[in-house]
């Protein structure tokens, strides 16, 4: 898998390739690009909210379009593709197969993403990343809404194709000598998350079609003016997208399962407990979707059922945290950049989970729902946990992909800036939510506490921006001019620890 | 399940115990707060892009302002004329979606006189950010 960039090849050779590392490289580059595009949007939002009154964005419509496209970009064009990048690089190697099971399908799944991204980016829909009707049916301007719907449709199909490929590669193509229990946890994470996609995504695909025909006036599934039920959409949407949050987080946990043992120079504390927690998460992921809907007027019994379903997912997540800490315990830890990101991500994962429990306790959700608390909650997950794991893993893969070393000192600076910025921004958002500020608002009244906290949140975002700028510079500079990496042990861990490109099973 | 051992079991047991506690407590409190007092006065609340209107039991209507009496119980019947909104008086933890074609109910009893913010907490378009009203609780 090594040296894609060192052995210079014409770009088209990579683009038309179906080899898993080439497809992985395209996923990787695309997702990093999307991360910076989505990040630029976030910065615009935070500049606008720095103080009451119009700062940067002239009107609320542009603001609404920006937060919708920001969320859609980060989830579908950054996090999902970056996970696919890692899976493409490592899953075939970890199951000791020559490629993904269906290489052409794999390339097709990737190439569906850029056109979908263009639809989303050029359209700039304004209904939030969940497109709730009746707003999305009767109020959202065309053609942005249609472009978003088609874009998401394509992304959904791409995600299903990618998932089929992972499931078949892992279950059918793994080396006969390798029992499923010995398959590394990173590959297990792709197995679990792919199965969730296959079970969850078709529901959203159906909801999208219904939304489209509703908008065309052909049907009225979700339009109460003609007898439809807007709440039905929310059930369909969250039936897909609560499990989908696990689709995002599980590969990130899998990446941490690669990084933590290696940099602690110890084998993973318990492979069995990791597998058990992945399987548990994939099952209970489907028992909690309506915790997003406590405020839609559900009965007491419904709320209770979904609260229990939500809380049931917590022990499995907690087992992962235990597994990480127990692995690090007494380990000879080397705090190189990837390890810092992984450990920082675990700390924020724990904090985010505690906040999630508050959301799921129904009376407390009536304080936090649709306030900045929720924004803080899921950013601790999607950014603090998932993006942290992913960024750590990008550093970790860097020498294998480019044959060169990134600059360690700037990697550490990047981590410190982003970790500090994330704590400032996302914890303050939780508190701002407790003070009652709704999410998705373009402007806010001059309430002292809101003004101060919003300013602080924007400062945190700027600190992260500086960190991410350093990241970009480091990636570009080091892939051209970095020190050649010692590919037998790029991180100086002592050599007897498994590195992925050596195609050996980490557990002997 | 591999070589799982007692520290992990204890840890998982503690987590589960904490969750059971949170769940039970949440169930209890929600049960209490959902019990509407008999004498609660009904206020009809209607959200529409982008303002709130209110109708008292005696038929008086108000727009953008809601006058209520201190230490009185009120039951809100919330609906919407167009898209989803969310009726929220943050100080009193009153929060419920206003959904067209559906009436959602929640009750509260203000125990302090003064002015409080009413806001929309569900994204509803252009002026969502300023879909506000004022609750005025009068001492009588
Ligand atoms: C595993 C990683 C997780 C991710 C990526 C995640 C992501 C999210 C997202 C994106 C939302 C907001 C959706 C929206 O309204 O736009 C959300 C809300 C919520 N999350 Fe999580 N979450 C995660 C874990 C958890 C956990 C472990 C719990 C509970 C223990 C939880 C409980 C909730 C609840 C109850 C809400 C609804 C809050 C509200 O809107 O009032 N989440 N989460
Ligand atoms: Cu959820
Ligand atoms: Cu609103």
């Amino acid at each position: 898998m090594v040296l894609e960039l060192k052995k210079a090849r014409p770009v088209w050779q990579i683009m038309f390739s179906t080899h898993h590392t080439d497809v992985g490289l395209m996923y990787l580059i695309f997702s990093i690009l999307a991360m910076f595009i989505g990040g630029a949007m976030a910065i615009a939002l935070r500049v606008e909210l720095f103080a009451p009154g119009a700062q940067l964005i002239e009107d609320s419509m542009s603001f609404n379009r920006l937060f919708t496209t920001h969320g859609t970009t980060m989830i579908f064009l950054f996090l999902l593709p970056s996970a696919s990048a890692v899976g493409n690089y490592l899953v075939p190697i970890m199951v000791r197969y020559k490629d993904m099971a269906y290489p052409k399908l794999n390339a097709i799944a990737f190439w569906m993403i850029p056109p979908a991204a263009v639809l989303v980016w050029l359209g700039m829909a304004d209904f939030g990343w969940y497109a709730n009707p009746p707003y999305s049916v009767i109020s959202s301007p065309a053609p942005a809404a249609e472009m978003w719907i088609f874009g998401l449709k394509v992304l959904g199909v791409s995600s299903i194709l990618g998932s089929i490929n992972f499931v078949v590669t892992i279950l059918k193509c793994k080396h006969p000598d390798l029992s499923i229990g010995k398959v590394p946890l990173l590959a297990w994470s792709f197995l679990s998350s792919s199965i969730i996609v296959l079970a969850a995504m078709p529901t959203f695909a159906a909801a999208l079609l219904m939304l489209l025909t509703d908008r065309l006036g052909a049907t009225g599934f979700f339009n109460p003016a003609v007898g439809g039920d807007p709440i039905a959409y929310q059930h369909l949407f969250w039936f897909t997208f609560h499990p989908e949050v696990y689709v995002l987080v599980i590969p990130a946990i899998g990446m941490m399962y690669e990084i933590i043992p290696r940099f602690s120079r110890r084998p993973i504390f318990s492979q069995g407990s990791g597998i058990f927690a992945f399987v548990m998460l994939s099952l209970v992921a489907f028992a909690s979707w309506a915790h997003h809907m406590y405020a839609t007027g559900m009965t007491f019994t419904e709320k209770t059922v979904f609260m229990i379903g939500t809380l049931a997912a917590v022990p499995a997540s907690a087992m992962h945290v235990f597994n990480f800490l127990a692995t690090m315990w007494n380990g000879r830890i080397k705090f190189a950049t990837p390890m810092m990101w992984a450990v920082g991500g675990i700390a924020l994962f724990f904090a985010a989970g505690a906040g999630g429990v508050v959301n799921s306790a129904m009376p407390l959700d009536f304080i936090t729902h649709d306030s900045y608390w929720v924004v803080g909650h899921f950013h601790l997950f999607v950014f603090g946990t998932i993006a942290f794991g992913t960024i750590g893993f990008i550093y970790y893969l860097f020498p294998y992909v480019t044959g060169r070393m990134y600059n360690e000192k700037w990697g550490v600076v990047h981590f410190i800036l982003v970790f500090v910025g994330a704590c400032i921004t996302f914890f303050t958002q939780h508190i701002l939510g407790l003070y009652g500020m709704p999410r998705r608002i373009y402007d806010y009244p001059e309430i002292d506490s809101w003004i101060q906290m919003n300013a602080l949140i924007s400062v945190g975002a700027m600190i992260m921006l500086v960190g991410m700028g350093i990241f970009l510079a480091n990636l570009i500079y080091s892939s051209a001019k970095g020190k050649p990496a010692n590919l037998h042990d790029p991180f100086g861990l002592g050599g007897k620890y498994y590195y992925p490109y050596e195609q050996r099973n980490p557990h002997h | 399940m591999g070589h799982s051992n007692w520290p992990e079991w204890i840890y998982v047991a503690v987590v589960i115990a904490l969750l059971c506690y949170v769940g039970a407590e949440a169930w209890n409190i929600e049960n209490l707060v959902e019990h509407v007092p008999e004498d609660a006065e009904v206020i009809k609340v209607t959200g529409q892009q982008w303002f709130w209107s209110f109708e008292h039991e005696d038929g008086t209507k108000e727009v953008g302002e809601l006058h209520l009496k201190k230490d009185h119980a009120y039951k809100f019947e919330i609906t919407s004329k167009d898209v989803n909104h969310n009726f929220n008086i943050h100080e009193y933890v009153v929060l419920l979606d206003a959904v067209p074609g559906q009436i959602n109910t929640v009750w509260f009893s203000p125990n302090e006189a003064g002015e409080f913010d009413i806001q929309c907490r569900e994204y509803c378009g252009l002026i969502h950010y300023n879909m506000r009203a004022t609750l005025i609780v009068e001492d009588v």
Side-chain angles (χ1 to χ4, degrees), chain B residues 34-47:
Chain B
E34 287 207 356
H35 183 79
V36 189
E38 298 282 310
D39 61 344
E41 215 174 290
V42 173
I43 310 280
K44 289 193 176 130
V45 178
T46 307

Side-chain angles (χ1 to χ4, degrees), chain B residues 71-106:
Chain B
D71 294 329
H72 239 72
Y74 294 95
K75 182 173 144 191
F76 294 113
E77 292 186 352
I78 305 164
T79 189
S80 161
K81 281 211 173 132
D82 38 45
V83 302
N84 293 353
H85 303 275
N86 181 300
F87 178 71
N88 174 223
I89 312 170
H90 188 72
E91 271 97 336
Y92 284 109
V93 198
V94 171
L95 176 135
L96 207 58
D97 283 353
V99 181
Q102 178 176 326
I103 293 171
N104 287 336
T105 56
V106 58

Side-chain angles (χ1 to χ4, degrees), chain A residues 238 241-246 285 288-292 310 377:
Chain A
W238 290 116
F241 282 97
H242 181 75
E244 184 83 5
V245 306
Y246 291 99
S288 50
W289 77 87
H291 64 213
H292 297 276
T310 307
H377 157 75

